[in-house]
């Protein structure tokens, strides 16, 4: 995770959002060493064939932010703006860092985010963080297992972030697939590192017969990315 500086959030152009994200990323950075010690013994596997999520101790993550990186947040925000996405879905709220990027896009697009998280203490704090960022009117956090909370939603999604645990990416995707608009963008975090658990998803969306274009992107190498908004 990079050092937290205002430049990371410049494109969002919103002091409240910037202040909240800065505070949250600083808190997430404090968990850096415990994450390093957790993953160090598995580093070869992680950067090789990947870890099967079922071998992970999920309880370790109960108090962890495990957020998307600021570059990813910036990229998702820009993508959602480029699409003019009004109906945005997120699987895996955690403490709300990615949700704030999506919420800001929803605010700027005149839309709404629905995000879901099953740990009640994370839901409570995520809602407070989203309120602090001034985005409560644009974000609804549903508490519970995504397979339940998302199953009866009558919304057509323009933009989706799947960032819950890797073994649930494909089941959650299949659940919401009937509600994807043509042209919808779906982003999945942690696709490298947990390949055994996300293979069902990548096999499915990379098969042209299923109607998607899909590839792994690394939005970190320098490229100016500009969207005309007025
Ligand atoms: C990687 S973290 C999400 C990080 C967050 N998107 C961010 O960037 O700040 C994954 C979160 O998904 C939640 N989660 C995992 N499986 C879930 C499920 N079946 N339903 C709802 N939430 C789930 C976990 O509790 C965890 O907080």
């Amino acid at each position: 995770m990079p050092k937290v500086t205002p430049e990371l959030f410049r494109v969002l152009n919103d002091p409240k959002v910037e202040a909240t994200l800065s505070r949250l990323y600083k808190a997430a950075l404090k968990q850096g060493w415990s994450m390093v010690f957790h993953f160090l013994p598995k580093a070869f596997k992680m950067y090789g064939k990947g870890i099967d999520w079922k071998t992970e101790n999920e309880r370790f993550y109960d108090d962890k932010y495990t957020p998307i990186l600021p570059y990813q947040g910036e990229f998702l925000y820009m993508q959602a703006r480029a699409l003019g996405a009004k109906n945005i879905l997120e699987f895996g709220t955690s403490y709300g860092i990615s949700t704030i990027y999506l919420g800001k896009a929803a605010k700027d697009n005149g839309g709404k985010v629905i995000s879901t998280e099953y740990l009640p203490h994370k839901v409570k704090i995520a809602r407070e963080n989203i309120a602090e960022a001034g985005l409560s009117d644009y974000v609804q956090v549903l508490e519970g297992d995504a397979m339940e909370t998302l199953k009866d939603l009558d919304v057509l999604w323009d933009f989706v972030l799947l960032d819950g645990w890797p073994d649930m990416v494909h089941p959650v995707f299949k659940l919401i697939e009937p509600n994807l608009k043509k042209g919808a963008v779906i982003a999945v975090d942690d696709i490298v590192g947990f390949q055994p658990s996300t293979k069902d998803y990548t096999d499915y969306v990379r098969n042209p017969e299923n109607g998607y274009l899909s590839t792994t992107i690394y939005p970190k190498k320098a490229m100016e990315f500009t969207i005309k908004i007025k």
Side-chain angles (χ1 to χ4, degrees):
M1 188 133 39
K3 190 164 172 265
V4 180
T5 62
E7 178 57 22
L8 292 175
F9 313 112
R10 184 193 47 78
V11 76
L12 301 170
N13 191 26
D14 186 319
K16 264 183 147 176
V17 168
E18 177 187 325
T20 308
L21 285 176
S22 296
R23 182 179 67 73
L24 295 177
Y25 273 120
K26 282 178 187 158
L29 266 174
K30 289 193 181 141
Q31 299 180 335
W33 283 114
S34 71
M35 297 299 285
V36 169
F37 289 129
H38 181 78
F39 283 113
L40 206 56
K42 316 172 197 198
F44 279 116
K45 208 164 186 191
M46 218 175 164
Y47 292 103
K49 289 186 177 162
I51 299 171
D52 183 339
W53 181 258
K54 289 191 174 53
T55 65
E56 277 289 300
N57 168 18
E58 264 185 39
R59 297 285 69 85
F60 169 77
Y61 298 92
D62 281 0
D63 66 340
K64 301 295 181 296
Y65 282 77
T66 55
I68 57 165
L69 296 178
Y71 316 111
Q72 294 175 299
E74 192 176 48
F75 182 73
L76 294 175
Y77 169 76
M78 294 282 281
Q79 278 288 305
R81 291 299 311 276
L83 271 180
K86 287 200 166 34
N87 292 312
I88 302 177
L89 173 67
E90 176 180 55
F91 162 46
T93 319
S94 191
Y95 292 111
I97 289 185
S98 50
T99 324
I100 289 174
Y101 284 98
L102 299 176
K104 173 69 170 123
K107 177 180 179 184
D108 295 341
N109 286 342
K112 186 133 194 173
V113 177
I114 292 185
S115 182
T116 191
E117 168 60 55
Y118 62 10
L119 294 178
H121 66 280
K122 284 191 169 180
V123 171
K124 180 176 177 292
I125 296 171
R127 285 182 182 144
E128 289 166 9
N129 293 337
I130 290 159
E132 179 185 318
L135 297 171
S136 297
D137 289 347
Y138 311 96
V139 179
Q140 189 183 2
V141 181
L142 304 178
E143 182 178 319
D145 186 329
M147 295 302 288
E148 286 302 315
T149 54
L150 304 182
K151 78 177 178 200
D152 294 324
L153 295 181
D154 188 17
V155 184
L156 283 180
W157 306 114
D158 307 287
F159 193 87
V160 177
L161 173 61
L162 300 177
D163 192 21
W165 300 142
D167 59 341
M168 291 306 292
V169 163
H170 194 54
V172 170
F173 176 76
K174 290 302 288 176
L175 177 73
I176 58 121
E177 187 181 22
N179 288 29
L180 291 174
K181 258 193 201 157
K182 187 174 178 208
V185 170
I186 302 104
V188 182
D189 193 26
D190 300 316
I191 209 74
V192 172
F194 294 98
Q195 296 90 315
S197 303
T198 51
K199 189 174 179 307
D200 284 356
Y201 176 77
T202 49
D203 283 351
Y204 183 78
V205 291
R206 290 178 188 177
N207 179 348
E209 284 175 16
N210 293 324
Y212 299 93
L213 297 175
S214 196
T215 190
T216 302
I217 58 162
Y218 299 81
K220 212 178 157 187
K221 181 164 179 299
M223 186 167 78
E224 187 74 9
F225 186 64
T226 306
I227 300 167
K228 181 168 164 53
I229 54 166
K230 282 183 190 161

